[in-house]
Amino acid sequence: MSEKPGEDVLRELEGERAVFGVAGKVVAGLAILWSLLQLWYASPLPFLTANIIPVQNDTDARSLHLAFGMLLAFLCYPAVKGKGGHAIPLYDWVLAGLGAFAAGYLFLFNDALAERPGLPTTLDLVVAGAGLLLLLEAARRALGLPIVIVALVFIAYVFFGDMAPDIVSWRGASFSRAMSHLWLGTEGVFGIAIGVSTSVIFLFVLFGALLEKGGAGDYFIRLAFSLVGHMRGGPAKAAVLASGMTGLVSGSSIANTVTTGTFTIPLMRRAGFSKEQAGAVEVAASVNGQIMPPVMGAAAFLMVEYVGISYVEVIKHAFLPAVISYIALVYLVHLEAAKANAPLLERADPMPAWHARLLRAGLAWTGITLFLGGAYYLIEFVRAVAGSAALPLLLGGLFVLYVGAIFVAARQRSDETASDFGKEGVPLPRFAETVGQGLHFLLPVALLVWCLVVERLSPGLSAFWAVMALLFILATQKLLIALLSGKGARPALLSEAQVILSGLEAGARNMIVIAVATAAAGIIVGTVSLTGIGLMLTDLVQLLSGGSLILMLLYVAVLCLVLGLGLPTTANYIVVSSLLAGVIVQLGAESGLVVPLIAVHLFVFYFGIMADVTPPVGLASFAAAAVSGGDPIRTGVTAFRYSLRTVILPFFFIFNTKLLLIGVEGPFDLLLTVLGALVGVLLFAAITQGWMLTRLKLWEGAVLLAAAFTLLRPGYFVDQVMPPVAEVSYEDARDYIAAAEEGGHVALIVEGVTFEGDEVRRTVRLPLGEPGTAAERLSAAGLELREEEGRVLVSSVRFGSPAGEAGISFDWEVLGAKLPQEQVSAYWLYVPAFALVALVVMTQRRRVR
């Protein structure tokens, strides 16, 4: 199996049937049609042709999206995995048609359903019930049993909630109400999750598929090997870098594991890693790709909707933990190779001295920085001077860059593939030559980042323009290379057309799992909004944790691991965030811990995707074991040990939000934050490996653990001596609220009775509006106050406002506020922490000598 191409291994693992002949052409045609319809929907064309073709609303688009997903799910996935053969049986054609009709029902009869909200007809209920059953069967085929079992448990809870234990009991719903909520409306299956899948995720998955088909995947792997392949444990380090680059546009840790692992796992085996170690490194790197901006396994776009902040903000907050986690994985691999004394791969040129390497790296990064800065200011200058003519000028400049990149690629082409590296007589590629072989692939990625970060276009529209640029590149790259090389143009044109059609098909086929997964996850989301089970889970976790913050976070982490078993990244995030994000927010507030919502969502997201690693249902570990031939359980256990450096990060950024770049004050503060986080995680990686310069003794590990904790959360010890906040009355807090800077926040202490009749006391963090009085600034957060008999009470809370989202209700009392107090800088604790590290390094160096 390890000799099969990665795509074939992935299809086999996912149970997808290989269909040939007329049926295969029909399936391919439907997949390509789906991709074209999604491009049409994302483009500006529907608005330009609105007089001819009516513009689809969101509900219509979601309905068509799921219709295609269910249609292809029944055609591409057999009823029994591994026994589908190469033909599609008649019953699968029938099920595919029924599934597509049930999913497309909202598109076909949208106007009629809008005229009778909450009053479904018999046909409506029959279609909704059949649609749910067909969706669960499609999910079973494409995703396996875990998500089906979870969905069935929640559906049973909808109808038989009165039979549940008292702590999570509810009265139950009628079939009519349940179907109206879960299928016929936009609160369940056709809710936010599948809306994001329709408008954003599809285009990013299509972008990744087109890049892979065009040769970018192989280019990323070659680039990684040219950078670090010559180092100790180089193939494993290259696997980490390649998976990181692939993870930038990948929506699946399993797909990432198989596509890059097909090349990297055999190379790691040649470098001395065991089957389980090689598979585990690939798993750890691929799962890390799901936390890596800008895509984050497509969860970044869901966070925009669920957290209510801009896409750029999501990326900014997620960036530092993802990067330092990847750097720590490279270091961990280095330690593993050092322990095993792994051999070095052959280089094509002699290894330069360390000072020459340092100089080269400095010049390279300086050149890249100057180029990017110069390009930005040049573009802004052209836009300011040329006005309306700027767009064609900039497009012309982009085309010139593209032709130049193709010219370099034509001269630097190599016949060796990534799988050849490490074989006898095949040296590693030179970086200077390798980087030029695929520079044109970076242009659509740069365009995507520019549209997202600089132009602030929506993620969907940004992805559309990036896909269009990539389609142009795929349509012309081989033709231009053939012309520059003096070869015939006709074979190149036919090859380009084949690549584009193959990419359009692959993008749609990759989306089947995500479309079905987000729809099935919508059942859980709909159940939460219908039954209010999220609040009940809060009570359950509070009961089990006994009010302890650390125990509460541990319970939530374990629940995320359990709920995430067997789910792809998108469905995983939808389920854990809808059920458990509110638990941390509410219980944290009741304990006085005020956490930004993005930190909470990243916490549950990190632990949800860890389910791809951990046995017994670590799908990424099973995929890696299928490629390496190792034991799946041992691969999963090893991969989880390698992933511990990622596991600890959420616990630290919940309490130290500077790790998410929240509350960072100036460049020096940023530098110290990055330094402490990076060194702290590297130390923790060394502890998990039991190795630094040589094997760690028990006392050395304990010292490094204390240093790592101090560097990752330096404020803990300062807080014990000098509390960071002081509780004051609301009267004393008025001046602070009125004088706070624009965009600031205030933590109010409130007390009242919930709708369930429980008396609670909470600390809520509310954003402040434009400068003004305290009442005016709190009003911007949706909170209106009144004074009555010396007490400050809530007069009203605006629906959907930050105050409303925080759970504040009418007639609650504002007891006071928690105001920040001046403290000694926590960074002074870096001095003893680095002194402890230096002590361990000295003792290790002495033993090495």
Side-chain angles (χ1 to χ4, degrees), residues 587-655:
L587 293 183
E590 292 178 6
S591 301
L593 175 68
V594 183
V595 186
L597 193 56
I598 183 63
V600 173
H601 278 255
L602 286 172
F603 182 94
V604 297
F605 175 59
Y606 270 51
F607 281 101
I609 62 171
M610 280 297 118
D612 275 349
V613 178
T614 51
V617 197
L619 296 184
S621 297
F622 276 81
V627 177
S628 69
D631 179 78
I633 301 299
R634 288 177 61 190
T635 300
V637 172
T638 306
F640 185 73
R641 182 164 61 88
Y642 290 167
S643 300
L644 284 174
R645 86 230 173 275
T646 305
V647 169
I648 66 163
L649 278 173
F651 286 100
F652 283 101
F653 65 57
I654 281 286
F655 294 100

Side-chain angles (χ1 to χ4, degrees), residues 746-823:
V746 65
L748 293 181
I749 306 168
V750 295
E751 186 179 65
V753 180
T754 65
F755 289 115
E756 291 77 25
D758 300 323
E759 291 189 9
V760 296
R761 175 190 172 107
R762 294 178 184 166
T763 301
V764 295
R765 187 170 183 262
L766 299 179
L768 298 175
E770 297 179 356
T773 65
E776 291 170 344
R777 304 197 74 179
L778 289 175
S779 178
L783 188 65
E784 301 289 345
L785 304 177
R786 72 180 190 277
E787 293 191 23
E788 189 176 289
E789 298 179 356
R791 302 165 65 204
V792 180
L793 303 175
V794 176
S795 291
S796 65
V797 179
R798 189 168 65 251
F799 180 77
S801 66
E805 296 292 331
I808 302 175
S809 296
F810 170 74
D811 230 24
W812 281 28
E813 183 176 1
V814 179
L815 300 176
K818 290 185 176 181
L819 302 186
Q821 302 297 299
E822 286 194 15
Q823 293 179 295

